[in-house]
């Protein structure tokens, strides 16, 4: 990835992010406003589920982003351990809480949706349980990266954990699948095209795109903050 | 290979000189499983159905208990620095530590669990399955726990953090271990579960020593 290497230098990353952030914030707000209008007003209510189907427009993208966020953590962990990429550690620190919040939003909205649809807030179902375990893995990553006085040590330990976790995640997923399942199977990403009507699918994909923008925006902002924090620590040491 | 044996024997000798450490872990296992019938009630049918899950969870907690000292004592007295300097793969050293941990906790737990299973009303075949799943599954627990112990070496609140890291990774082992015993109780075949449990152990054996050694190198720097 030669294109990304020029961002390895925190000062250069800072110049890049300062240029990108205003436009990105504007795009995120605009996309979310349009997406929420499409999802909450324009999209028709489901003939079975009524208005509660609108929870899906937050729930499903949150689940995707929570999973993608853990993938990003693993990539950042690998680039920290293999190339000693100095920015990867800061970005992993910035990403983990954002991913954890998306996992929590997915669990909360799912639970609120489950109450009217399944008649219960929580079942020990495969998908629910594996999302909960993903949330726990995020918590472990956050706790481990902040558990050391020497933050470099915490970053590297968390990077190893992210890599082991990403290997283990499919195993956890399949073991839990086999253990118990009630959640509906995938209906957007499957062979032979999605089985959702376009009036629902278009707002869903739009919301997924705008929440992805929000994810990227939050990660960039938090990475900037991490760079500031690290500089303050260094200034403290030098003083 | 001799170095491996030397390290395992050294750890076993250290435990032998203070057998109380192992006894406490086994006593915890017995006491913790005893609490479940007291909390749930003494109905034999219910207990036989819960036995697999209860005994497996208690074994999981018991094997975690002794892990926070796995690398910490070597870290404190400088043995770990020597292992890092030694012209000998650190991966094998980490594996030796886990092997010693398994011999003093996993193996006794697998032997002890059927005795407690009798008290839960398991039939003879299920008792054997319980011992077999624990014998095959506890090496995975020792390896995952060893990874968590090496990651949290020198961390603040190391013990609680170790459990937070290790428990989610132990889920597959727990699921297949407990369900093997359950299917045996309900009279079905348990071979698939046992095979997957073995596969998990072999995959952990092949991958986790590398992760552990990487974590120890970070900690030793």
């Amino acid at each position: 990835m030669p294109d990304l290497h020029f961002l390895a230098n925190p000062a250069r990353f800072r110049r890049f992010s300062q240029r990108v952030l205003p436009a990105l914030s504007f795009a995120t707000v605009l996309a979310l406003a349009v997406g929420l209008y499409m999802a909450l007003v324009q999209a028709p209510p489901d003939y079975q589920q009524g208005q509660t189907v609108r929870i899906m427009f937050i729930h499903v993208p949150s689940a995707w982003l929570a999973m993608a966020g853990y993938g990003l953590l693993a990539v950042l962990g690998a680039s920290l351990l293999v190339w000693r990429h100095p920015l990867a550690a800061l970005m992993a620190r910035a990403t983990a809480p954002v991913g954890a919040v998306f996992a929590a939003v997915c669990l909360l909205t799912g639970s609120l949706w489950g109450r009217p649809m399944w008649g219960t807030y929580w079942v020990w179902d495969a998908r629910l349980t594996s999302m909960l375990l993903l949330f726990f893995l995020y918590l472990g990553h956050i706790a481990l990266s902040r558990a050391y006085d020497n933050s470099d040590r915490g970053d590297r330990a968390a990077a190893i954990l992210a890599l082991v976790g990403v290997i283990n995640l499919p195993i956890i997923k399949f073991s839990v699948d086999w253990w118990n399942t009630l959640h509906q199977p995938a209906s957007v990403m499957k062979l032979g095209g999605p089985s959702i009507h376009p009036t629902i699918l278009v707002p869903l994909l739009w919301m997924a795109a705008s929440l992805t923008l929000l994810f990227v925006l939050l990660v960039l902002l938090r990475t900037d903050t991490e760079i500031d924090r690290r500089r303050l620590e260094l200034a403290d040491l030098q003083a | 290979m001799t170095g491996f044996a030397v390290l395992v024997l050294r750890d076993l000798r250290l435990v032998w000189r203070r057998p109380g450490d192992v006894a406490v872990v086994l006593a915890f296992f017995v006491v913790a499983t005893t609490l479940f019938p007291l909390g749930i009630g003494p109905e034999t049918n219910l207990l036989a159905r819960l036995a697999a899950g209860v005994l497996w969870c208690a074994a999981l907690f018991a094997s975690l208990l002794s892990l926070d000292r796995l690398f910490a004592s070597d870290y404190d007295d400088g043995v770990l620095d020597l292992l890092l300097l030694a012209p000998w793969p650190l991966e094998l050293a980490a594996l030796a530590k886990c092997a010693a941990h398994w011999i003093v906790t996993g193996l006794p737990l697998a032997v002890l669990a059927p005795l407690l299973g009798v008290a839960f009303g398991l039939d003879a075949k299920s008792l054997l399955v319980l011992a077999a799943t624990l014998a095959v599954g506890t090496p995975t627990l020792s390896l995952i726990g060893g990874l968590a112990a090496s990651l949290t070496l020198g961390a603040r609140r190391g013990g609680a953090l170790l459990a937070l890291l290790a428990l989610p990774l132990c889920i597959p082992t727990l699921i297949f271990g407990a369900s093997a015993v359950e299917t045996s109780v309900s009279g079905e075949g348990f071979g698939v579960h046992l095979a997957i449990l073995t596969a998990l152990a072999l995959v952990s054996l092949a991958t986790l020593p590398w992760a552990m050694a990487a974590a120890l190198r970070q900690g030793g720097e």
Side-chain angles (χ1 to χ4, degrees), chain A residues 81 84 133 136-137 139-141 143-144 146-149 153 156-158 160-161 164-165 168 171-172 175-176 178-179, chain B residues 147 150-157 161 164-165 168-169 171-172 175-176 192 196 200 208 211 214-215 218-219 221:
Chain A
L81 292 174
R84 305 255 155 165
L133 291 171
F136 289 158
L137 287 176
L139 289 189
H141 190 280
L144 185 61
R146 286 149 179 80
Y148 290 93
D149 297 327
R153 163 95 174 101
R156 295 209 203 106
I160 296 173
L161 180 71
V164 173
N168 211 16
I171 301 178
I172 294 180
S175 68
V176 170
W178 205 11
W179 174 60
Chain B
L147 174 69
S150 58
L151 285 174
T152 56
L153 199 56
R156 296 187 297 264
R157 301 177 302 274
L161 187 56
L164 178 64
L165 300 184
L169 299 178
I171 301 278
I175 287 178
F176 290 112
V192 179
I196 292 180
L200 286 174
L208 289 181
Q218 313 292 0
E221 269 173 13

Side-chain angles (χ1 to χ4, degrees), chain B:
Chain B
M1 202 57 206
T2 48
F4 184 82
V6 166
L7 264 181
V8 173
L9 285 175
R10 166 183 171 270
D11 271 26
L12 291 181
R13 212 173 293 130
L14 285 177
V15 172
W16 184 251
R17 284 181 193 149
R18 283 198 306 175
D21 294 2
V22 177
V24 166
V25 171
L26 296 180
F28 167 83
F29 178 61
V30 174
V31 172
T33 44
T34 311
L35 289 179
F36 283 89
L38 300 177
I40 295 165
E43 291 167 59
T44 320
N45 289 335
L46 188 62
L47 284 181
R49 273 186 53 218
L50 293 176
V54 167
L55 288 166
W56 254 95
C57 283
L60 178 54
F61 293 144
S63 76
L64 275 184
L65 264 188
S66 50
L67 275 168
D68 57 333
R69 297 306 295 163
L70 185 64
F71 294 109
S73 54
D74 287 351
Y75 180 69
D76 291 341
D77 62 17
V79 171
L80 191 61
D81 291 328
L82 291 177
L83 288 177
L84 281 166
L85 289 173
W88 202 68
L90 192 59
E91 287 78 8
L92 275 179
L95 189 59
K97 301 287 292 183
C98 289
H101 177 264
W102 178 71
I103 292 171
V104 296
T105 53
L107 203 54
L109 284 177
V111 174
L112 200 58
L115 298 179
L116 289 161
V118 172
F120 276 78
L122 287 180
D123 57 281
K125 196 187 88 191
S126 302
L127 289 175
L128 276 179
V129 176
L130 176 66
T133 54
L134 278 171
V136 176
T138 43
T140 318
L141 302 185
S142 287
L143 285 162
I144 292 174
L147 174 69
S150 58
L151 285 174
T152 56
L153 199 56
R156 296 187 297 264
R157 301 177 302 274
L161 187 56
L162 190 153
L164 178 64
L165 300 184
L167 287 176
L169 299 178
C170 289
I171 301 278
T173 311
L174 174 69
I175 287 178
F176 290 112
S179 55
V181 183
E182 257 163 50
T183 47
S184 158
V185 168
S186 59
E188 295 161 46
F190 52 86
V192 179
H193 300 264
L194 205 57
I196 292 180
L197 212 53
T198 317
L200 286 174
L202 291 175
V203 169
S204 320
L205 192 65
T207 54
L208 289 181
W210 272 266
M212 246 183 283
L216 289 175
R217 286 198 189 96
Q218 313 292 0
E221 269 173 13

Side-chain angles (χ1 to χ4, degrees), chain A residues 97-177:
Chain A
V98 180
V101 167
F102 272 102
V105 165
C106 172
L107 287 169
L108 281 176
T109 53
S111 151
L112 292 175
W113 195 9
R115 179 64 195 164
M117 287 305 111
W118 296 338
T120 171
Y121 286 111
W122 185 263
V123 282
W124 289 99
D125 157 80
R127 283 204 163 187
L128 280 72
T129 313
S130 55
M131 184 50 80
L132 186 64
L133 291 171
L134 178 65
F135 180 63
F136 289 158
L137 287 176
Y138 270 123
L139 289 189
H141 190 280
I142 296 170
L144 185 61
S145 65
R146 286 149 179 80
Y148 290 93
D149 297 327
N150 172 0
S151 47
D152 282 347
R153 163 95 174 101
D155 288 332
R156 295 209 203 106
I160 296 173
L161 180 71
L163 286 178
V164 173
V166 91
I167 298 168
N168 211 16
L169 213 54
I171 301 178
I172 294 180
K173 174 91 183 84
F174 284 121
S175 68
V176 170
D177 267 349

Side-chain angles (χ1 to χ4, degrees), chain A residues 56-238:
Chain A
M56 180 186 72
F57 298 117
I58 302 288
H59 173 75
V60 173
S62 305
W64 287 344
L65 284 169
M67 289 188 278
Y70 203 85
L72 177 64
L73 272 190
V75 172
L76 291 171
S79 45
L80 175 66
L81 292 174
V82 176
W83 296 290
R84 305 255 155 165
H85 195 298
L87 200 75
L90 300 176
M91 200 175 248
R93 236 166 227 270
T95 306
V98 180
V101 167
F102 272 102
V105 165
C106 172
L107 287 169
L108 281 176
T109 53
S111 151
L112 292 175
W113 195 9
R115 179 64 195 164
M117 287 305 111
W118 296 338
T120 171
Y121 286 111
W122 185 263
V123 282
W124 289 99
D125 157 80
R127 283 204 163 187
L128 280 72
T129 313
S130 55
M131 184 50 80
L132 186 64
L133 291 171
L134 178 65
F135 180 63
F136 289 158
L137 287 176
Y138 270 123
L139 289 189
H141 190 280
I142 296 170
L144 185 61
S145 65
R146 286 149 179 80
Y148 290 93
D149 297 327
N150 172 0
S151 47
D152 282 347
R153 163 95 174 101
D155 288 332
R156 295 209 203 106
I160 296 173
L161 180 71
L163 286 178
V164 173
V166 91
I167 298 168
N168 211 16
L169 213 54
I171 301 178
I172 294 180
K173 174 91 183 84
F174 284 121
S175 68
V176 170
D177 267 349
W178 205 11
W179 174 60
N180 198 359
T181 194
L182 170 74
H183 196 291
Q184 62 165 330
S187 42
V188 177
M189 297 204 209
K190 66 175 187 188
L191 288 174
S195 61
I196 301 182
H197 194 267
T199 50
I200 299 275
L201 184 65
V202 170
L204 177 63
L205 292 180
W206 185 279
M207 276 307 284
S210 30
L211 284 174
T212 309
L213 283 180
L214 179 66
F215 188 97
V216 173
L217 174 69
L218 288 174
V219 167
L220 286 183
L221 268 176
R222 290 179 52 88
T223 310
D224 259 7
T225 317
E226 283 297 327
I227 294 176
D228 284 338
R229 199 183 53 80
R230 201 56 69 91
R231 282 189 180 151
L232 282 175
E233 275 178 12
L234 284 176
D236 244 14
L237 283 178
Q238 282 163 357

Side-chain angles (χ1 to χ4, degrees), chain A residues 13-29:
Chain A
F13 173 85
R14 169 52 66 79
R15 281 202 295 281
F16 167 79
S17 71
Q18 298 296 359
R19 219 175 307 148
V20 169
L21 274 177
L24 185 62
S25 325
F26 184 70
T28 308
V29 171

